[in-house]
Amino acid sequence: QLQLVESGGGLVQPGGSLRLSCAASGFSLDTYVIGWFRQAPGKKREGVSSISTTGANAKYVDSVRGRFTISRDNAKNTAYLQIDSLKPEDTAVYYCATTFPHMYGSLHEDDFSHWGQGTQVTVSS
């Protein structure tokens, strides 16, 4: 079975940090661009970051740049999202997804084919 499974979410105070993981099984991640998306209550799903197949290039939206770091370990078939300096507005379900290399740079959800189930990040005092 082809699966992406996110983990690492939880409840954290403002200013805290989390590391989210995206583990693939049933296929190899090394030929795919990885994107991270989030959906907050009452809001549309938005792309926040993506990383090229080798990890040489990464993209961030303005709202997370400098606080979020995307990475990947192809040998472990896993991608990561390190989130620092968390803000309440970061509260959302976070999803990882895959797309083909020629689509690197896109954060449009329609360009991504395989999706995980999501992991909840809650930032609150």
Side-chain angles (χ1 to χ4, degrees):
Q1 291 289 329
L2 306 181
Q3 284 192 296
L4 291 172
V5 179
E6 301 94 337
S7 62
L11 175 64
V12 66
Q13 296 182 48
S17 297
L18 286 171
R19 185 187 66 182
L20 309 184
S21 297
C22 173
S25 61
F27 71 105
S28 180
L29 275 184
D30 63 5
T31 60
Y32 294 93
V33 167
I34 305 297
W36 283 95
F37 296 76
R38 67 185 181 186
Q39 187 165 25
K43 296 185 178 180
K44 297 178 180 179
R45 185 157 59 186
E46 64 168 341
V48 297
S49 185
S50 66
I51 188 167
S52 60
T53 55
T54 65
N57 299 99
K59 178 180 179 179
Y60 304 91
V61 295
D62 289 344
S63 60
V64 310
R65 189 175 296 110
R67 300 188 299 116
F68 288 26
T69 303
I70 191 170
S71 62
R72 64 192 300 160
D73 187 338
N74 287 339
K76 295 181 178 179
N77 223 26
T78 302
Y80 305 93
L81 187 68
Q82 176 70 36
I83 311 177
D84 298 319
S85 302
L86 276 158
K87 303 176 179 179
E89 49 264 49
D90 294 321
T91 295
V93 177
Y94 283 73
Y95 302 87
C96 64
T98 65
T99 191
F100 293 107
H102 71 277
M103 294 305 303
Y104 172 73
S106 172
L107 287 173
H108 298 298
E109 64 178 355
D110 288 348
D111 292 330
F112 289 76
S113 297
H114 293 88
W115 293 80
Q117 296 294 313
T119 185
Q120 176 71 50
V121 172
T122 303
V123 185
S124 177
S125 298

